[in-house]
Amino acid sequence: MQTKPLTVLSLIPPMTQLNTPYPSTAYLTGFLRGRGVNAVQADVALGLVLRLFSPEGLDAVADEAQAMLDDGQALPETVHFFLNHFDRYRSSIGPVIRFLQGGDSTLAHRINSRNWLPEGMRFDALNNYAGHDGEDPLAWAFGSLGLQDKARHLATLYLNDLSDVIRDCIDPRFEFVRYAEQLAASQASFDPLAEALDAPNTLVDDVLVSLALEACDEHQPDLVLLSVPFPGAVYAALRIGQAIKAEFPDTRIALGGGYVNTELRELSEPRLFDFVDFVTLDAGERPVLCLIEHLQGQRGVSRLVRTFVRNDAGEVQYLQWPEPDVPFQDVGTPTWDGLPLDQYLSLLDMLNPMHRLWSDGRWNKLTVAHGCYWKKCSFCDVSLDYIARYENATATELVNRIEAIVAETGQTGFHFVDEAAPPKALRALAEELLRRGVSISWWGNIRFEKSFTPELCELLARSGCIAISGGLEVASDRLLALMKKGVSVEQVARVTRSFAQAGVLVHAYLMYGFPTQTVQDTVDALEYVRQLFEEGCIQSGYFHRFACTVHSPVGKNPQDYGVTLAPLAEGRFARNDIGFVDPTGTDHEAMGRALNKALYNYMHGVGLDQNVRQWFDVKVPKPTVARGFIAQALGLTTH
């Protein structure tokens, strides 16, 4: 008997990125089509923003805000400013969106005039600029010719103002990147999500639900895949699931993605299954193939792979039929077919040439290798599949995929989204790109290891590498050894300098609050970072506070790192981050304020010649690092 073909619809819930599609649906859709499945996809996150940030969307926002004022509710200044300048917002929103999508480039002249767009709170820093009379506060960043970039930055501030309005009068959970994140991040209890999902829809919810149901109307899917990479996409995913179950009761829904893989591994909360039917862990290819066979009547429920279900007794059951994963070499080529590639928004928040890559431009996302070839770092989830299972594909296969993607999308920019791309694989990829004459621009994440010699950095640059990012974490050899990072500060300096000299931008992931990190360690680390910026080794960075997870070596063996774990909260839902007690007693909150302030200035070329202690609002000791340490490590003349 011939099996009825199934339609599988993959959805990207809000919020992920606005400049390029989050890659999970493209990966799965490409893989499933390669297996003969009728697979389609839609980006609800982009759709939500485009529908809200339109003349009609702003009409709806203004109507709600005015109704709240008429009822005597007190509203923030952001909302009053929006209503007072509503006509200007309504007439400008359409052209601004088109400009950020890459159309109507001549609009930049009018945006840059500073008298067309209404300028709310997000423009305060520019309007309060203490320069000379008539001096352009953005001249240092864009000069006299950076017309398009300057306009993109101003347009981004304008959109951020409108985002603040939606947050302040429509939905307090709304943000461009994180939407209702606090409802799901490390929440042991499902209660906050359940209460939010039981509440009446907001305007944002109404738009979200409309988009999801329109996609289901169009494609009539048998199975909907909701890919949730971050806590900030969980609420929207479940709101979508709730709507689909109400309107399309025969459609089955599966939840997966990075958030699920890290936070829901011990799931026992049956209420989640009021919104979805299946929850799958780790790489999605094998579990989804098994789900399709199950829905086609070819596989019993007991033979599902890495899948949670709610059984007939109303209890959560984990099913793990022993079946191998699809090898990385065989996962096929991602496809963006069905996604509106010409409608994504290139935003420019941070005035830094490296930092902008995350929000500006539509990048084809591709993976060089699955997992991490190092998998030793103490802070990392080294026990989980996305790190532990290391597999790669041949350079020939990777370039085949690259050529197919360029042919489909017309875009030659690639972001390799590996945990850490292996130097050997990158060398082979670069040589294959050059041998075949394939011209692309690419960037990705690496470890700053000694294999990245000046010769290799030059080769990667010739193949199209424009930027790399990597973890320096805490710039302290003692703490780097405790982390099992496998690098030293001197080595990082030499590798980053080699990339910079090859014309490649460098971003450093930085960390504070690691177990046993003292105030002195923090001051010294900031001095190392200052010198790396000063010597041109790195152009961008980001400080994040260490979070201990139950899957990391620190979480599994806290005694090896001198800390004591706090008891985990009771609950049946998410379990990932875990508190700990560090006997050093360092005030990492105060340290973080200083580190982020200093880094922001360093990325703009400010304060590089000043003592690092000036950034702290508490008394700290002098750095023990010599001011010329990095220059000496590089064999340069000290300043």
Side-chain angles (χ1 to χ4, degrees):
M1 185 176 74
Q2 188 171 9
T3 304
K4 173 186 176 294
L6 260 70
T7 296
V8 179
L9 169 62
S10 295
L11 295 179
I12 305 173
M15 299 297 277
T16 49
Q17 288 179 276
L18 297 180
N19 62 308
T20 198
Y22 194 78
S24 55
T25 65
Y27 280 34
L28 277 173
T29 302
F31 168 74
L32 291 173
R33 288 185 181 182
R35 298 298 178 104
V37 176
N38 181 31
V40 292
Q41 58 189 326
D43 191 339
V44 183
L46 176 68
L48 175 68
V49 169
L50 295 182
R51 198 160 289 185
L52 284 173
F53 293 83
S54 67
E56 296 75 20
L58 295 190
D59 285 341
V61 173
D63 288 346
E64 291 213 12
Q66 190 60 54
M68 294 169 75
L69 284 177
D70 293 344
D71 286 343
Q73 297 186 43
L75 293 175
E77 178 59 29
T78 52
V79 182
H80 287 284
F81 185 89
F82 167 71
L83 291 174
N84 290 338
H85 296 271
F86 177 72
D87 289 343
R88 292 175 66 196
Y89 275 116
R90 193 184 193 284
S91 65
S92 58
I93 187 64
V96 168
I97 291 294
R98 284 194 298 276
F99 173 75
L100 291 172
Q101 289 171 332
D104 200 5
S105 63
T106 57
L107 190 68
H109 294 277
R110 193 167 188 201
I111 293 173
N112 290 342
S113 71
R114 299 290 302 277
N115 60 21
W116 180 53
L117 296 183
E119 298 187 355
M121 309 305 114
R122 295 294 188 118
F123 288 80
D124 283 353
L126 298 183
N127 294 328
N128 296 334
Y129 175 70
H132 298 295
D133 289 343
E135 183 181 345
D136 182 358
L138 293 174
W140 67 271
F142 303 110
S144 59
L145 294 177
L147 179 76
Q148 297 296 319
D149 281 348
K150 180 180 176 181
R152 187 173 290 117
H153 177 61
L154 294 171
T156 300
L157 295 178
Y158 162 92
L159 284 191
N160 286 338
D161 272 336
L162 289 173
S163 173
D164 292 344
V165 172
I166 293 174
R167 179 200 64 203
D168 290 342
C169 74
I170 302 296
D171 189 337
R173 302 163 299 202
F174 184 82
E175 290 185 59
F176 274 141
V177 178
R178 302 174 181 88
Y179 178 33
E181 181 179 58
Q182 73 281 3
L183 295 177
S186 297
Q187 280 283 3
S189 171
F190 190 68
D191 288 349
L193 271 168
E195 291 167 10
L197 291 162
D198 192 45
N201 280 11
T202 66
L203 171 64
V204 176
D205 292 328
D206 286 340
V207 174
L208 175 68
V209 166
S210 295
L211 289 162
L213 296 182
E214 286 168 19
C216 288
D217 272 331
E218 178 182 355
H219 299 293
Q220 295 294 311
D222 301 281
L223 174 63
V224 171
L225 306 179
L226 296 172
S227 181
V228 180
F230 317 116
V234 175
Y235 168 80
L238 298 187
R239 186 63 92 177
I240 289 169
Q242 182 185 55
I244 293 174
K245 279 189 166 292
E247 295 295 325
F248 297 88
D250 293 333
T251 298
R252 294 293 171 259
I253 304 169
L255 185 73
Y259 169 84
V260 175
N261 299 341
T262 54
E263 304 232 8
L264 300 188
R265 302 193 76 86
E266 299 177 41
L267 178 68
S268 60
E269 174 55 77
R271 289 179 292 174
L272 177 61
F273 294 89
D274 293 338
F275 307 92
V276 300
D277 300 287
F278 310 100
V279 176
T280 69
L281 294 181
D282 301 328
E285 290 86 3
R286 181 62 68 194
V288 169
L289 284 180
C290 294
L291 279 179
I292 292 170
E293 291 178 0
H294 169 61
L295 295 178
Q296 290 175 322
Q298 298 176 328
R299 178 183 289 256
V301 69
S302 64
R303 294 178 62 232
L304 293 178
V305 173
R306 292 196 305 273
T307 301
F308 290 100
V309 298
R310 183 168 59 187
N311 61 24
D312 292 340
E315 297 172 342
V316 177
Q317 183 177 355
Y318 183 59
L319 304 161
Q320 170 55 312
W321 186 259
E323 200 155 331
D325 273 301
V326 177
F328 181 70
Q329 176 80 10
D330 299 333
V331 296
T333 302
T335 179
W336 283 265
D337 179 48
L339 299 179
L341 298 184
D342 59 345
Q343 294 183 29
Y344 286 85
L345 308 174
S346 284
L347 305 177
L348 188 51
D349 273 309
M350 177 70 77
L351 303 183
N352 177 280
M354 173 75 202
H355 221 79
R356 67 183 293 175
L357 296 179
W358 277 275
S359 64
D360 181 25
R362 208 208 64 70
W363 301 95
N364 298 312
K365 302 210 174 193
L366 193 63
T367 307
V368 174
H370 180 281
C372 178
Y373 68 98
W374 178 250
K375 53 190 173 192
K376 295 179 184 177
C377 297
S378 305
F379 54 83
C380 194
D381 294 336
V382 295
S383 61
L384 300 187
D385 176 80
Y386 79 97
I387 299 291
R389 179 167 61 89
Y390 174 68
E391 296 180 4
N392 58 15
T394 66
T396 301
E397 174 60 24
L398 287 173
V399 178
N400 288 345
R401 292 175 186 176
I402 286 170
E403 289 189 314
I405 291 168
V406 172
E408 178 187 292
T409 67
Q411 300 282 334
T412 59
F414 283 80
H415 179 194
F416 297 138
V417 292
D418 300 66
E419 295 300 320
K424 185 177 179 181
L426 287 179
R427 177 184 289 276
L429 174 62
E431 290 172 345
E432 184 70 5
L433 287 168
L434 291 168
R435 186 185 70 81
R436 289 163 61 168
V438 177
S439 295
I440 64 169
S441 302
W442 63 267
W443 58 294
N445 199 48
I446 64 164
R447 291 180 62 248
F448 293 129
E449 63 160 84
K450 60 185 179 183
S451 300
F452 288 103
T453 62
E455 176 271 331
L456 178 54
C457 294
E458 289 282 354
L459 173 68
L460 299 181
R462 289 201 309 276
S463 76
C465 179
I466 58 167
I468 55 97
S469 57
L472 172 55
E473 318 309 348
V474 179
S476 157
D477 285 342
R478 178 185 74 83
L479 291 172
L480 287 170
L482 184 62
M483 290 177 177
K484 297 182 175 60
K485 188 68 185 176
V487 300
S488 66
V489 175
E490 285 193 28
Q491 181 179 307
V492 169
R494 287 190 287 269
V495 170
T496 53
R497 177 75 170 180
S498 295
F499 273 110
Q501 288 187 320
V504 176
L505 295 169
V506 181
H507 174 89
Y509 291 110
L510 302 161
M511 182 187 293
Y512 66 99
F514 194 74
T516 73
Q517 183 175 355
T518 63
V519 172
Q520 185 69 67
D521 289 327
T522 305
V523 173
D524 288 350
L526 184 56
E527 174 60 18
Y528 282 129
V529 169
R530 183 196 69 79
Q531 293 185 32
L532 288 167
F533 272 98
E534 185 178 42
E535 298 300 339
C537 296
I538 61 178
Q539 291 74 47
S540 173
Y542 181 79
F543 268 111
H544 67 276
R545 185 166 177 174
F546 168 74
C548 182
T549 73
V550 296
H551 315 295
S552 69
V554 177
K556 290 180 177 296
N557 303 291
Q559 69 282 353
D560 294 345
Y561 302 90
V563 296
T564 304
L565 298 184
L568 277 167
E570 293 292 325
R572 310 178 75 179
F573 189 53
R575 185 170 300 223
N576 190 39
D577 291 2
I578 182 169
F580 63 94
V581 178
D582 187 337
T584 57
T586 304
D587 183 357
H588 294 300
E589 196 73 34
M591 299 298 101
R593 289 194 300 272
L595 295 173
N596 285 301
K597 188 192 304 182
L599 191 64
Y600 179 85
N601 281 276
Y602 293 165
M603 285 194 290
H604 294 86
V606 177
L608 290 172
D609 57 348
Q610 298 176 19
N611 192 302
V612 296
R613 287 187 294 169
Q614 72 151 350
W615 304 111
F616 294 86
D617 52 21
V618 296
K619 188 175 181 179
V620 296
K622 295 179 181 178
T624 63
V625 180
R627 281 185 71 84
F629 178 90
I630 296 297
Q632 188 172 1
L634 297 171
L636 305 174
T637 304
T638 56
H639 294 293

